[in-house]
Amino acid sequence: KEKEKGDENQQEENKDIKDKKEEKKNSDENNAKCLMIEKTEISKLDKIEIKVSNPTVDKAGGLSFSYSSYLIETSSLNLQVKRKFADFQWLYNILKSQFVNCIVPPFFKKKDKLDKITQRVYFIQRFLNGITTHPILKNSKIFYDFISIKDDKEFTKKKNEYNKLQ
């Protein structure tokens, strides 16, 4: 009888261990979803290089309001999008808020008044390439959408979705 009782106890312990492993697996999957990590084309690449170029100053709807925009090229993925300076600031802020345990590459503030637009291009490119070297940030859905969604309206819609998650 003692042997049977011992076997039953061992089976219960094994079941508890198995249940705990399953809970941890589910928890890890939920954490990944929470962090918006996804298998994308980026996940398959060891090295991604982003080039920022063609800075332009555009007028918004004929008003006196103007904004800077930049071309982002991700040659290894054959992606090309145009983003406003404010979009880069948004990306920095959303990554900082969504990935609090990650070190997000530094981004300068617009008030830093860089002398030349070429300096701005350099810092933006350095910021984006810094993200590509981070194993979590580079695989985030936020970053992938940032470098891949071409249509401005669709990108704005995505930004609004991410902002609601904050």
Side-chain angles (χ1 to χ4, degrees):
K1 284 186 180 181
E2 281 185 34
K3 188 176 186 230
E4 286 177 19
K5 222 176 202 185
D7 287 346
E8 285 177 19
N9 287 342
Q10 186 64 44
Q11 287 175 348
E12 284 181 39
E13 285 178 27
N14 288 344
K15 187 180 182 310
D16 286 345
I17 291 169
K18 187 177 178 181
D19 289 346
K20 284 179 184 175
K21 283 182 181 178
E22 188 64 32
E23 280 178 32
K24 183 173 178 2
K25 180 183 171 195
N26 291 337
S27 173
D28 290 346
E29 288 173 6
N30 288 336
N31 285 341
K33 287 177 189 170
C34 182
L35 291 174
M36 293 177 278
I37 304 298
E38 225 178 59
K39 294 261 186 230
T40 63
E41 295 175 47
I42 293 175
S43 309
K44 301 170 191 169
L45 300 173
D46 291 330
K47 186 167 171 47
I48 303 156
E49 190 157 334
I50 292 179
K51 182 181 175 198
V52 178
S53 62
N54 296 351
T56 57
V57 177
D58 301 313
K59 297 257 186 225
L63 303 172
S64 60
F65 175 74
S66 63
Y67 60 89
S68 303
S69 61
Y70 305 84
L71 182 67
I72 304 169
E73 296 174 276
T74 313
S75 57
S76 49
L77 296 171
N78 201 26
L79 297 172
Q80 197 175 66
V81 296
K82 198 162 189 146
R83 293 286 177 253
K84 298 174 189 169
F85 182 79
D87 294 332
F88 297 102
Q89 291 174 309
W90 171 84
L91 178 63
Y92 174 77
N93 291 327
I94 196 85
L95 289 176
K96 290 281 285 182
S97 69
Q98 292 294 318
F99 299 91
V100 292
N101 293 325
C102 295
I103 297 173
V104 177
F107 188 72
F108 67 95
K109 295 171 179 58
K110 197 171 186 176
K111 68 180 182 183
D112 287 346
K113 302 265 188 218
L114 296 176
D115 294 335
K116 297 179 182 171
I117 200 136
T118 53
Q119 286 178 310
R120 203 181 262 193
V121 168
Y122 168 78
F123 284 108
I124 291 170
Q125 184 168 301
R126 193 174 82 174
F127 166 67
L128 293 176
N129 282 308
I131 293 170
T132 66
T133 63
H134 193 288
I136 294 174
L137 298 178
K138 87 170 189 177
N139 290 309
S140 70
K141 185 151 176 38
I142 295 168
F143 181 63
Y144 184 73
D145 288 345
F146 186 86
I147 63 169
S148 66
I149 297 175
K150 287 185 178 192
D151 183 65
D152 279 341
K153 288 180 183 176
E154 186 182 341
F155 179 66
T156 301
K157 185 178 169 184
K158 272 291 182 192
K159 277 176 36 176
N160 291 334
E161 286 175 24
Y162 289 130
N163 288 337
K164 287 178 186 175
L165 295 173
Q166 282 185 303

